[in-house]
Amino acid sequence: MVLDYLRLGSETNDLVIKTYNLDELIRESIRKFSSMFIYRKLKLNFEPTNRKIVTDKKWFACILEQLLSNAIKYTPAGTITIRVDERERLLISDTGIGIEQEDLPRIFEKGYTGSNGRIGQNSSGLGLYLVKKAADMLAISIFIESKVGKGSTFIVDINQKNRQ
């Protein structure tokens, strides 16, 4: 994460925009966290998308991996779901602890840790900032819906038509 953070601040970025199989990008990210799913006894519900996406592989993977990392970190038990909805948005949902409503407007700010991040001091405040910066660099919109005690859904707008 620190290396990605430093790269974001660089005056040159190393974007390599190509067409990728979205399912493969997602599977690669899931594999990186497979041991955490097993260790935490979390269920993964991945619905294959059968879609292609034009993006930079490294930065898109950075987004996926950080969102998966957060979902795992803040889901003590339950399920993490990855799917694409009818509006061509990638949804990464968890049944975790959720985010306080007053924290939602600030979660993408550099260094911000909401009340859940301060519990146990296990949050740097850089992960979601990095996600937002990478998404902005790739012209991808990202949103969140969350309810305390019910979980969170990160919505990544991958609809290529929305970026023209």
Side-chain angles (χ1 to χ4, degrees):
M1 182 170 57
V2 173
L3 290 175
D4 286 338
Y5 174 73
L6 292 172
R7 271 192 216 110
L8 272 178
S10 153
E11 291 195 17
T12 62
N13 61 43
D14 50 352
L15 292 177
V16 179
I17 305 296
K18 293 183 181 178
T19 301
Y20 294 96
N21 179 315
L22 180 58
D23 290 336
E24 276 306 306
L25 295 177
I26 293 169
R27 284 186 183 105
E28 285 177 27
S29 293
I30 290 170
R31 275 192 286 277
K32 288 186 178 184
F33 292 99
S34 60
S35 62
M36 290 303 297
F37 277 99
I38 294 165
Y39 177 75
R40 304 277 308 260
K41 298 180 179 150
L42 297 174
K43 179 181 177 192
L44 173 66
N45 180 15
F46 169 51
E47 299 175 14
T49 68
N50 301 313
R51 286 179 172 75
K52 303 274 186 204
I53 184 171
V54 177
T55 193
D56 176 83
K57 181 179 182 179
K58 181 183 62 190
W59 287 111
F60 192 77
C62 172
I63 293 168
L64 289 175
E65 289 167 16
Q66 186 59 52
L67 294 178
L68 278 174
S69 173
N70 277 16
I72 292 167
K73 183 191 303 186
Y74 295 109
T75 305
T79 303
I80 295 171
T81 300
I82 304 170
R83 69 181 185 88
V84 170
D85 69 7
E86 64 284 344
R87 293 171 54 191
E88 301 267 336
R89 302 178 310 167
L90 178 64
L91 308 178
I92 299 175
S93 303
D94 64 60
T95 58
I97 61 176
I99 301 169
E100 298 281 348
Q101 291 302 304
E102 60 266 16
D103 290 334
L104 288 175
R106 299 191 60 201
I107 63 168
F108 294 113
E109 289 179 16
K110 182 179 179 181
Y112 184 75
T113 57
S115 58
N116 289 337
R118 290 187 291 271
I119 297 170
Q121 300 176 352
N122 59 352
S123 177
S124 67
L126 290 179
L128 292 178
Y129 170 77
L130 184 63
V131 165
K132 180 69 170 129
K133 287 296 191 186
D136 289 348
M137 190 169 45
L138 296 173
I140 295 172
S141 298
I142 187 161
F143 311 94
I144 182 168
E145 296 173 354
S146 188
K147 285 194 183 275
V148 173
K150 301 284 185 190
S152 301
T153 298
F154 280 89
I155 303 159
V156 182
D157 190 349
I158 57 170
N159 187 337
Q160 306 285 292
K161 295 177 203 123
N162 292 343
R163 293 196 255 168
Q164 295 177 2

